[in-house]
Amino acid sequence: IIIRIFSEGGNAEDALALLGRINDSACPITTEGYGQVSSAAAVLLAAGDHRRISKYCFMMYHEDSLKLEGRISNMRSELKEAIRAEHIYNLAMEEHTKMAASFWSKIGVGKDEYFTAAKLLEMGVVDEVF
């Protein structure tokens, strides 16, 4: 199975759901990055059994963001869950790359962090640049 990724991202919970499916696959999965692989899509690129990226591709990584409204008790609950999901996401990045969860939790805080294809190869996010 080849999963070709070009994505502006999405939310961490959706990415973790897809990650679970990728990890559960009996078939070898190749992930390929094209253009941009940003935010929630980063872990999907990193999760392949073989990970490839176009030399023109870049990855953007940042802390999670929320839009909260409503009762304070609900907002506290949603914030707690978002923090938990972000932690799981960073642990998944650690599992699939050479970088520790502590690295992933610190980058992209307060700003978006961008990585070139060559840097992603060095960090163990991908296995091959083409």
Side-chain angles (χ1 to χ4, degrees):
I1 297 172
I2 298 173
I3 301 173
R4 293 183 175 100
I5 304 167
F6 167 82
S7 178
E8 294 178 356
N11 70 53
E13 290 86 354
D14 290 344
L16 292 172
L18 290 169
L19 174 64
R21 182 61 189 102
I22 290 169
N23 286 343
D24 192 43
S25 176
C27 300
I29 294 183
T30 297
T31 54
E32 295 180 345
Y34 297 90
Q36 71 172 318
V37 176
S38 295
S39 190
V43 75
L44 303 178
L45 176 65
D49 297 306
H50 183 71
R51 297 116 8 120
R52 304 176 68 223
I53 193 169
S54 162
K55 66 182 177 182
Y56 306 111
C57 187
F58 66 91
M59 186 182 90
M60 186 274 289
Y61 200 90
H62 60 186
E63 65 186 321
D64 205 356
S65 61
L66 295 174
K67 293 179 182 173
L68 298 176
E69 61 180 58
R71 294 188 320 259
I72 291 173
S73 58
N74 282 350
M75 289 189 285
R76 283 187 185 122
S77 177
E78 288 181 42
L79 178 59
K80 183 179 177 181
E81 175 55 22
I83 291 168
R84 185 192 73 80
E86 184 176 60
H87 178 69
I88 292 169
Y89 188 95
N90 290 329
L91 288 172
M93 287 298 287
E94 176 181 73
E95 178 183 344
H96 293 286
T97 71
K98 295 177 183 175
M99 310 307 289
S102 59
F103 169 82
W104 295 111
S105 69
K106 291 176 186 165
I107 64 162
V109 174
K111 63 179 173 51
D112 295 341
E113 193 77 39
Y114 292 88
F115 299 96
T116 64
K119 186 67 174 174
L120 294 172
L121 182 64
E122 179 184 316
M123 295 165 57
V125 176
V126 296
D127 305 307
E128 175 186 356
V129 176
F130 61 93

